[in-house]
Structure formats: structure tokens, C-alpha cells
Amino acid sequence: MSRISRLCCAVLLGASSSLALADAASHAADAERFLKLAHADKLTVPVYAQVQQMFAQRFAQAPDGNRAVLERYQAKADTALDRAVGWDRLRPDMVRLYTSHFNEQELKDLIAFYESPLGQKVLLKMPTLTAQSAQITQSKLEAAVPEVNRLLAEMSDEIGVKQP
């Protein structure tokens, strides 16, 4: 192979690898933009609220509690949660997750949808719809629990396993 051919190959390989890096960066940027639109940084808010509630319940059991003690421990708990599940900790994994499931064009399409009035409505209504869907499912599931428990007991008897 001549020197010129090798040089051309090297230039082409370098150019293609920088294009791949640019594509990956663009893909990741689109994932970040989508996650921002979808308010993914708020996913852990219920976790923080639940931990705050746990501390408040424990505090309520203490005799003559000092409110400053509760606030100090709640702040420490928030710091611990920030280190574990703060958005800065989650963002790289979430970007990888979304870029592994959606190609760049799909992310662009999702962004366009979520920027539209209907997409904004979906974002606004989705938490309520999800909670109500879970309630509907739970209420329907309750009807099946006695039969499932009976079947479990029946199978346990048949295979000779003692029930708790």
C-alpha cells in the first residue's frame, strides 16, 4: 500500500470515528432534552417525600420533640438521597437507558410530541392517569385474591408443602 493510500485510509478512519462520536453526542443530547421535557429529574420526588414522612412519623413518637432535630435529620436524609438518587447521579444512566431504547430520530419525534399541546397535556395528566389506573387494577385484583389464595393452598397441599 502506498503512503498516500495509507494516509487516505487514516484520514477516512479518523473522520468516520469523529462522526460517530458526534452522532453519539447528538443522540445523548436528544435523550437529555427528552428527559428534561418529561420531567425525569422529578422521578425521585416521591422517594424524598416518603423518607421525609418516615422521619416525621418517628419524630411524632418522641416525647417533647425538638423541631430543629427533625429538620436536621431530614436534611441529612436528603443529602444521603442526593448522593444515591439525585438527578446528577441518575442522569448518565437515564441517558444511556433512553439512547439504548430509542434511536436519535425517535427521540426527536418524542421531543416534538412532548413539545406539542397534546404532549404537554399528556405530561400533565400522566401522573393522575397512572395513579387512577393502579387503583382500578388494584380494585379488580382484590376480587381474584381469595381464589388465588385458595389455589395456592390447594397446590401446597398437593405437593406436600406446609402453609405458613
Side-chain angles (χ1 to χ4, degrees), residues 10 12 21 33 39 48 52 69 88-89 122 126 130 148 159-160:
L12 285 173
L21 289 175
R33 186 166 172 214
H39 307 290
Y48 283 73
Q52 293 291 318
V69 171
D88 289 339
R89 300 277 300 158
V122 167
M126 194 52 67
T130 300
V148 169
I159 63 174

Side-chain angles (χ1 to χ4, degrees), residues 12-32:
L12 285 173
L13 284 173
S16 66
S17 66
S18 65
L19 284 175
L21 289 175
D23 285 348
S26 174
H27 194 190
D30 284 337
E32 285 209 43

